Amino acid sequence: QDLNARPADHLPLPTRAVAVTLGMRESGNEWTLNDRLASDPLRLRVEPGETLRIVLDNQSPMWHPMHLHGHTFQLRARKRYGPRKDTVNIKPRERLHIDVHAGNPGEWMFHCHNLYHQEQGMMGAIGYGQAPPLRPDMIHGGHSAGKKGRGRH
């Protein structure tokens, strides 16, 4: 919270906000985004040119270095423009606001950089416009990729 971006690095003000709760299931080995696992991933929809505020609310007992592919985001605190980053640590029971400017169309991973948290479910996406159709070979943990070439897709 002590760092401020130069005015040239400020992102436009957000047009809307979405909440993303970082959680842990009772089993202790499943990590979630809005209670969803990577097998049924959370997808935050953006439109080109939009600035989206993501309110990260860590309700889990662990630190999570949250990482966004394809973009930088700006930390926001008390009307201050914080640093631009692509990864931010969020402590247990902490809430952070990050602003993302949608200027790089595609489907981009948004996940915990603790790889075992990612592998155990804490992975979603930021995507532009309508979601593309799901392909069985692209589902996290799916085994249909081995069936290619057998006429089953």
Side-chain angles (χ1 to χ4, degrees):
Q1 293 186 24
D2 296 335
L3 300 175
N4 289 303
R6 300 173 307 160
D9 294 325
H10 292 184
L11 290 178
L13 291 174
T15 53
R16 63 188 175 96
V18 296
V20 175
T21 300
L22 313 179
M24 179 182 77
R25 297 244 171 113
E26 271 188 46
S27 66
N29 63 0
E30 291 179 303
W31 301 91
T32 62
L33 297 176
N34 285 359
D35 202 36
R36 296 176 75 160
L37 297 170
S39 57
D40 178 28
L42 171 70
R43 181 182 187 268
L44 301 176
R45 178 181 174 165
V46 295
E47 297 299 331
E50 174 183 23
T51 300
L52 177 68
R53 173 156 298 158
I54 302 172
V55 180
L56 295 170
D57 186 11
N58 186 2
Q59 292 298 310
S60 84
M62 298 284 288
W63 286 62
H64 297 289
M66 294 303 295
H67 176 65
L68 174 61
H69 289 235
H71 299 78
T72 60
F73 52 78
Q74 186 156 39
L75 289 169
R76 294 299 304 267
R78 296 187 185 98
K79 299 185 181 185
R80 291 180 29 199
Y81 290 87
R84 297 274 297 269
K85 306 175 71 109
D86 68 5
T87 306
V88 65
N89 270 321
I90 180 166
K91 299 179 209 172
R93 313 296 182 231
E94 182 178 54
R95 182 178 289 167
L96 292 177
H97 295 192
I98 61 173
D99 291 350
V100 178
H101 182 70
N104 191 11
E107 296 290 317
W108 296 100
M109 285 178 57
F110 181 55
H111 63 91
C112 181
H113 232 279
N114 284 336
L115 292 183
Y116 74 98
H117 291 178
Q118 175 187 327
E119 290 173 357
Q120 293 174 331
M122 193 173 274
M123 179 170 51
I126 290 181
Y128 287 67
Q130 285 293 105
L134 284 178
R135 292 182 12 211
D137 61 322
M138 298 300 289
I139 296 173
H140 180 75
H143 297 285
S144 61
K147 297 178 184 175
K148 285 186 176 185
R150 296 185 189 170
R152 295 184 185 191
H153 50 265

